[in-house]
Amino acid sequence: RKEVEQDPGPFNVPEGATVAFNCTYSNSASQSFFWYRQDCRKEPKLLMSVYSSGNEDGRFTAQLNRASQYISLLIRDSKLSDSATYLCVASAYNQGGKLIFGQGTELSVKP
Amino acid sequence: GAVVSQHPSRVICKSGTSVKIECRSLDFQATTMFWYRQFPKQSLMLMATSNEGSKATYEQGVEKDKFLINHASLTLSTLTVTSAHPEDSSFYICSASSLELAGGQGDEQFFGPGTRLTVL
């Protein structure tokens, strides 16, 4: 079993749609969580950190459920520019803080 | 701030040659640098973690004699792929973290733009 697992993609949605990505992690010692965005043939870029209370940044909302070891990312009012691969990432202090990446979920927003 | 550069961005080489990739933190001192590899349609896989002045810690399954990592200063780490073969063709990405920048947490990593290696 992969340490960080994500919804298989791709997600094809129209502009303006709301889309949700789910992610689970298996290491209960994971302490920090992130969503990264990766465009084709580019490096990943941090989209947002995920906090226990949940957090929102504009059209993006991230939530964490430690009991279920589950993380989500909600994108509202999708834009064409949101098309990318979204990577769920966990980090555990008992692993020296290294980042464990999920396989990514591809999002394609169509006009 | 927190810019990481990689050089070269793309390299094509013949099988059997060695390739060196540089990773630099441009505006901060990196406590730790990480090297990842990404094959098409797959996620980033951590290869090794390195701290300045000490030997790199390699992930299981990564050959340390094939992937040589040198972290000579707080702003520079190099990855040398020795005797490269076609199966080493991949996207190599480095990242750097700094206790100063992350407010003491050290979690956030800043990624370089990656190096696309093609071995013929």
Side-chain angles (χ1 to χ4, degrees):
Chain A
R1 183 187 172 192
K2 291 192 175 74
E3 199 165 329
V4 177
E5 293 205 66
Q6 295 184 238
D7 275 351
F11 282 50
N12 297 302
V13 303
E15 262 188 297
T18 295
V19 61
F21 301 141
N22 302 315
C23 171
T24 57
Y25 60 95
S26 60
N27 185 354
S28 57
S30 296
Q31 301 227 351
S32 300
F33 307 90
F34 310 91
W35 283 100
Y36 277 78
R37 169 196 169 125
Q38 187 175 26
D39 292 287
C40 187
R41 303 175 81 84
K42 301 279 188 184
E43 78 276 22
K45 292 189 186 296
L46 180 65
L47 180 65
M48 59 198 305
S49 302
V50 186
Y51 302 116
S52 296
S53 54
N55 47 303
E56 188 173 309
D57 182 3
R59 298 181 293 109
F60 299 86
T61 301
Q63 294 207 306
L64 166 65
N65 183 322
R66 286 190 188 274
S68 303
Q69 297 185 190
Y70 170 93
I71 307 155
S72 66
L73 176 68
L74 185 76
I75 305 176
R76 289 181 298 278
D77 189 22
S78 300
K79 311 290 184 193
L80 297 177
S81 56
D82 293 334
S83 298
T85 296
Y86 290 82
L87 302 167
C88 176
V89 183
S91 173
Y93 288 124
N94 68 352
Q95 292 180 330
K98 66 184 185 185
L99 299 181
I100 307 298
F101 284 79
Q103 72 268 36
T105 302
E106 187 180 341
L107 172 66
S108 179
V109 182
K110 306 289 188 186
Chain B
V3 178
V4 176
S5 70
Q6 264 183 259
H7 178 80
S9 58
R10 180 186 293 264
V11 59
I12 301 172
C13 68
K14 291 182 180 178
S15 187
T17 59
S18 293
V19 175
K20 181 187 278 189
I21 303 170
E22 289 188 352
C23 176
R24 292 181 186 273
S25 56
L26 298 185
D27 52 2
F28 67 101
Q29 292 190 322
T31 313
T32 307
M33 286 186 166
F34 304 84
W35 287 96
Y36 296 84
R37 179 168 53 181
Q38 186 177 33
F39 292 106
K41 297 291 186 184
Q42 295 186 29
S43 192
L44 277 75
M45 295 299 295
L46 180 65
M47 299 175 68
T49 303
S50 75
N51 295 291
E52 182 260 342
S54 60
K55 287 185 179 179
T57 301
Y58 289 81
E59 294 299 300
Q60 194 172 12
V62 178
E63 300 173 58
K64 59 183 177 184
D65 294 330
K66 180 168 179 65
F67 299 98
L68 302 178
I69 291 172
N70 185 292
H71 194 160
S73 76
L74 282 171
T75 60
L76 173 64
S77 177
T78 60
L79 167 68
T80 301
V81 183
T82 61
S83 187
H85 287 97
E87 58 266 29
D88 297 324
S89 298
S90 188
F91 190 44
Y92 291 86
I93 310 175
C94 73
S95 71
S97 66
S98 170
L99 288 173
E100 298 173 16
L101 290 178
Q105 294 176 11
D107 283 319
E108 187 173 357
Q109 293 180 21
F110 304 93
F111 285 84
T115 297
R116 195 159 298 280
L117 171 64
T118 302
V119 185
L120 303 176

